[in-house]
Amino acid sequence: MMTPLENVGFHSLLPFQSRASLYPSLSCQCLCIPEFALTGFPRRHFRHGAPPIINPLGTRFPANATVRPSYNISISLSSAVQNTTFVNVTTPAAGDWFIAAHLPEAAGRIEVKGFSTPCPYMFQADMFVLRLTDMPVLEPGVPMPHTVASPAKPLHVKVFVPKHAAGMRFQLSSCVTSEQRACTVRVLLGSITLPQSFQRSLTCTGSTNCSLVLDSPPWEKWLQIMVESLGTANASVSVEMLASFTVCRPGSTSSFLNFISLNQSQAGARPGAGGSLAPAAGEAPHNVSGQRSSCLQSQPVVREDLDVVSVRYRLLSGPSVPVSSLSPTLLLLNLNTGMDSGGSLVVSLLLNKTSVSLANATVAACVSAASPVLSLNATRNCSTAFSQGYPLSVSTSSAEAMLIVLYPQTDDWFLSLQLLCPKGQGECSSAEAKVTVFAYLTPCFNDCGPYGQCSLLRRHGYLYAACSCKAGWGGWSCTDDTKAQTVGTQNLATLLLTLSNLMFLPAIAVAVYRFYLVEASVYTYTMFFSTFYHACDQPGVAVMCIMDYDTLQYCDFLGSVVAIWVTILCMARLKKILKYVLFVLGTLLIAMSLQLDRRGVWNMMGPCLFALFIMVTAWVHHGAKRRHCYPSSWKRWVFYLLPGITLAFIAISVYAFMETNENYYYTHSIWHVLVACSVAFLLPPQDKHKKPWAWPQKLTCRYQICQNDREELYAVT
């Protein structure tokens, strides 16, 4: 899959899907092909489950936003040859993997299309997957013997974690080598997710039993277990594995759910605060239906899809949920549609202070993916078996809390809430709190604020959202005001870019005085639409749009090119009928060209060069006919043509080579002033036989010999 690299701001995103059950190895080959040499280090970021969260410019994120860096690597672009990098991931997590790549930050110059040499870089990423087939399944509660053939061939098994699993206990026993010696094996549970992996490791030595307890394993997923021998190369190892679960049986929303054990042959679980302890091996089996203990309270939540990457979660029992200290209250937030990871998950909590009977009590909350946290206390940090959740808390002193999860991974998300007391749970065993929960998925948090625009970007069929900031603001949600323009600067920029167009008034007055009414109309059109286009084009708060932005931009570009076209043709001193025909044909062709490519350099260069060719040809013709240089007056050259040409060349230089994002508002204003002044200098003088403001003569020229005819008669006689 090949995609062009882009500069910081928008980046190329390549999603890779690995939705099959389990993979022992995943290799990604990243090929960067530069067409021109560029010094710098493009970075590529990897993440499982959602697009990577990158911040190459070091800007600030919005308050209450969670930021966990992605795995990234750099490639040097100092040479013109292609660069290839391999990333190997052993036992990768099943699901979607994302790669984002971008070039270093651009210089900020505003380059005219066609004047600068493009520097494209093609980024090609290929994924190679080595997949295991016929992987043995470890059944819960059933001891299974297996053999590790050699250290070079580890054993891979998988076990399915049921829904409502509170804990899992993995036990390995009877470890014997083929040489009847004590063996040493290493067990890896779980899969790798970049950049941080929560794989659990267990090393077992000898034939004694070794076990590992996992709290809150991922629900309704296959858990991969790899056993590798650490002994000699030629010795095989025989082991016996056992997996057992402690789960919560769902109940009604008004009653507590209870512990049961999936393993009916094992002993019942010892009741605990969260039910995270698995049944101990070796205990006598008995009926676990009588072993009932409070586990959790479940609140029904309805997912409402509002728009693209826009979801609202509504609680059927109302926005307020009861929270007690005996067991956590659980809310399910479904984000497993495959198109939800391109936005931001927002969870807001509001504590009803009057509902808390204890003033020093705290409601602890945890937002986690794949499995909920079923034991919230002061010692735990909101972690599950293979992931790290996001903690929240509200109390009477701080009744509001908000969490923003940027680009949440595709999975089932859970919100767990529990009432905690500083002196122990016995202090608030009968207390209850009311917490109002607001949860929703939005493309851009706060719609990027007043200085940003939320954009939905599509890369290779995947849709994700990003903010495009303006007026110097930056950051993920355009909340970083480090380089922001003040309101005074924004007003100054708007005034400069709009009022500088008033310099066309002298050119309009000169054109009307010399009776170039068509040219004066074009200049008026250009001045009007350039003024209001720049008033609408401002990034800050000083904005005024009298019509659609695209219409204003098109009219501004059209007026600018047509003004140059008619000015040069007017300088050519053509016959009026020929001049007006060229006016109309040129305007139509310019309008068509702008519709095809509005920012193409030939939209301005083409008409300019063709008009200059016509002007030079006409001047040569006039000079040859009169047998002296045209224009013949040295005053015309010194006081009009040379200043006008100089101003035009300076204006083109400023427009093409000096404009940047930072100085645009005054360099482009200089362009307006220079172009308007050059037009006033370059307009040719009026006809010698025509008096200025000769309106009565024009209106009364009926059956008389008109002025042009008299000029021709005079020339013959």
Side-chain angles (χ1 to χ4, degrees):
M1 189 179 297
M2 182 173 289
T3 184
L5 278 180
E6 303 174 12
N7 293 102
V8 170
F10 294 105
H11 50 270
S12 300
L13 182 68
L14 297 177
F16 289 100
Q17 293 184 347
S18 55
R19 294 190 177 276
S21 58
L22 296 171
Y23 297 89
S25 178
L26 179 149
S27 296
C28 179
Q29 174 187 358
C30 301
L31 177 66
C32 190
I33 307 175
E35 297 185 10
F36 298 92
L38 175 71
T39 58
F41 296 91
R43 303 190 71 89
R44 292 160 306 169
H45 304 259
F46 298 80
R47 189 186 177 196
H48 168 260
I53 301 174
I54 63 175
N55 186 22
L57 301 181
T59 55
R60 293 200 301 263
F61 286 86
N64 304 316
T66 61
V67 181
R68 291 177 180 172
S70 60
Y71 176 77
N72 63 83
I73 57 176
S74 301
I75 302 179
S76 175
L77 297 181
S78 57
S79 62
V81 298
Q82 65 184 26
N83 297 319
T84 305
T85 303
F86 289 89
V87 177
N88 186 44
V89 182
T90 305
T91 63
D96 293 334
W97 285 76
F98 294 84
I99 301 178
H102 64 83
L103 290 173
E105 184 182 8
R109 287 184 53 190
I110 301 176
E111 298 176 343
V112 180
K113 186 178 180 180
F115 276 6
S116 59
T117 303
C119 187
Y121 278 75
M122 303 305 296
F123 174 73
Q124 178 178 346
D126 299 313
M127 183 178 67
F128 307 96
V129 178
L130 178 62
R131 180 180 180 185
L132 287 176
T133 58
D134 300 329
M135 184 181 296
V137 177
L138 184 62
E139 298 182 6
V142 179
M144 295 185 64
H146 290 282
T147 301
V148 183
S150 66
K153 296 181 180 180
L155 172 66
H156 293 270
V157 298
K158 61 181 179 180
V159 60
F160 186 77
V161 180
K163 192 175 182 180
H164 303 107
M168 170 186 168
R169 180 188 178 93
F170 175 80
Q171 178 178 310
L172 189 143
S173 60
S174 304
C175 181
V176 180
T177 65
S178 58
E179 301 173 351
Q180 300 300 320
R181 296 180 180 178
C183 65
T184 302
V185 296
R186 182 173 60 183
V187 183
L188 294 177
L189 290 86
S191 304
I192 290 181
T193 57
L194 296 177
Q196 186 178 6
S197 179
F198 291 90
Q199 266 189 327
R200 306 294 294 272
S201 176
L202 176 66
T203 302
C204 300
T205 303
S207 59
T208 59
N209 297 344
C210 62
S211 61
L212 180 66
V213 177
L214 301 177
D215 295 332
S216 301
W219 290 0
E220 296 185 297
K221 287 183 174 60
W222 288 100
L223 178 62
Q224 183 175 1
I225 302 174
M226 183 179 70
V227 182
E228 56 182 348
S229 174
L230 302 179
T232 59
N234 298 326
S236 61
V237 177
S238 298
V239 295
E240 185 177 88
M241 291 180 288
L242 174 66
S244 57
F245 293 92
T246 301
V247 302
C248 295
R249 173 175 292 172
S252 62
T253 58
S254 60
S255 63
F256 291 124
L257 303 179
N258 303 307
F259 274 148
I260 66 168
S261 175
L262 278 186
N263 184 8
Q264 298 295 332
S265 63
Q266 298 294 319
R270 290 176 296 175
S276 60
L277 295 180
E283 294 183 0
H286 60 275
N287 186 8
V288 297
S289 60
Q291 299 285 341
R292 295 184 180 274
S293 175
S294 299
C295 179
L296 58 88
Q297 289 180 331
S298 180
Q299 295 290 332
V301 180
V302 176
R303 171 189 167 112
E304 297 180 356
D305 291 277
L306 305 178
D307 205 340
V308 180
V309 199
S310 181
V311 179
R312 181 178 62 186
Y313 297 96
R314 184 168 59 88
L315 280 74
L316 293 181
S317 58
S320 296
V321 296
V323 181
S324 68
S325 63
L326 300 178
S327 61
T329 301
L330 185 65
L331 283 74
L332 171 63
L333 308 177
N334 185 357
L335 287 174
N336 56 9
T337 63
M339 296 301 293
D340 299 329
S341 58
S344 298
L345 175 64
V346 182
V347 177
S348 178
L349 304 179
L350 178 62
L351 175 65
N352 186 354
K353 297 181 181 181
T354 60
S355 66
V356 184
S357 57
L358 298 176
N360 55 355
T362 301
V363 175
C366 181
V367 179
S368 59
S371 60
V373 177
L374 298 179
S375 178
L376 288 85
N377 51 54
T379 59
R380 298 195 56 173
N381 58 352
C382 196
S383 61
T384 60
F386 299 105
S387 64
Q388 175 64 47
Y390 305 96
L392 285 169
S393 64
V394 289
S395 61
T396 54
S397 59
S398 178
E400 296 183 17
M402 177 180 287
L403 173 70
I404 307 170
V405 182
L406 308 176
Y407 288 168
Q409 66 186 63
T410 300
D411 215 325
D412 286 332
W413 285 73
F414 298 91
L415 172 62
S416 306
L417 303 103
Q418 190 171 6
L419 187 64
L420 303 179
C421 294
K423 295 182 180 180
Q425 298 302 94
E427 182 185 3
C428 55
S429 58
S430 60
E432 186 179 77
K434 291 284 187 180
V435 179
T436 303
V437 179
F438 298 98
Y440 58 93
L441 178 72
T442 180
C444 301
F445 176 69
N446 200 22
D447 202 21
C448 300
Y451 294 99
Q453 180 179 3
C454 186
S455 302
L456 289 176
L457 309 176
R458 184 177 296 275
R459 293 292 187 273
H460 302 282
Y462 183 80
L463 193 67
Y464 66 103
C467 287
S468 177
C469 305
K470 51 189 178 180
W473 289 74
W476 188 271
S477 299
C478 302
T479 55
D480 189 349
D481 59 351
T482 304
K483 301 180 180 179
Q485 297 178 1
T486 62
V487 177
T489 303
Q490 297 174 29
N491 292 330
L492 176 62
T494 303
L495 291 176
L496 284 176
L497 288 169
T498 54
L499 298 183
S500 59
N501 289 282
L502 296 180
M503 291 302 297
F504 272 99
L505 290 176
I508 295 171
V510 171
V512 172
Y513 180 80
R514 296 177 181 177
F515 214 73
Y516 296 124
L517 300 183
V518 175
E519 290 82 348
S521 302
V522 172
Y523 302 150
T524 304
Y525 176 94
T526 303
M527 180 185 67
F528 177 83
F529 280 103
S530 179
T531 299
F532 286 101
Y533 163 66
H534 286 290
C536 184
D537 187 47
Q538 295 309 300
V541 296
V543 181
M544 185 183 71
C545 298
I546 62 172
M547 59 181 67
D548 182 65
Y549 173 82
D550 188 70
T551 303
L552 289 173
Q553 185 187 66
Y554 181 83
C555 293
D556 173 55
F557 288 12
L558 178 64
S560 301
V561 181
V562 172
I564 298 174
W565 169 255
V566 300
T567 301
I568 299 177
L569 288 182
C570 183
M571 294 171 61
R573 290 283 194 169
L574 302 174
K575 292 288 186 179
K576 286 191 175 182
I577 184 64
L578 178 60
K579 182 177 72 171
Y580 293 139
V581 168
L582 290 176
F583 279 2
V584 175
L585 288 179
T587 303
L588 294 177
L589 292 176
I590 292 170
M592 179 195 67
S593 176
L594 289 173
Q595 182 64 28
L596 295 176
D597 186 7
R598 192 168 298 181
R599 297 187 179 275
V601 66
W602 287 105
N603 292 331
M604 183 177 293
M605 293 293 294
C608 287
L609 294 178
F610 187 62
L612 287 173
F613 174 76
I614 295 175
M615 185 191 72
V616 171
T617 304
W619 282 11
V620 170
H621 173 72
H622 292 323
K625 185 176 181 181
R626 299 184 180 185
R627 298 185 180 276
H628 57 78
C629 182
Y630 185 87
S632 57
S633 174
W634 66 269
K635 295 182 180 180
R636 175 66 184 165
W637 282 97
V638 172
F639 296 109
Y640 295 97
L641 292 180
L642 290 180
I645 294 173
T646 302
L647 291 174
F649 272 107
I650 296 175
I652 293 174
S653 301
V654 171
Y655 178 78
F657 305 109
M658 295 180 60
E659 287 188 354
T660 64
N661 294 326
E662 289 75 18
N663 64 12
Y664 173 79
Y665 66 94
Y666 61 83
T667 52
H668 200 75
S669 301
I670 294 174
W671 152 263
H672 289 164
V673 174
L674 294 177
V675 169
C677 293
S678 67
V679 168
F681 277 100
L682 293 177
L683 279 177
Q686 61 188 3
D687 295 335
K688 293 182 180 180
H689 301 285
K690 183 185 297 183
K691 297 180 181 180
W693 307 98
W695 300 99
Q697 297 181 13
K698 279 291 178 183
L699 295 175
T700 59
C701 185
R702 297 178 180 175
Y703 297 102
Q704 304 174 8
I705 298 178
C706 292
Q707 189 170 354
N708 289 340
D709 297 333
R710 288 199 297 269
E711 291 177 359
E712 294 180 1
L713 291 176
Y714 296 153
V716 172
T717 57

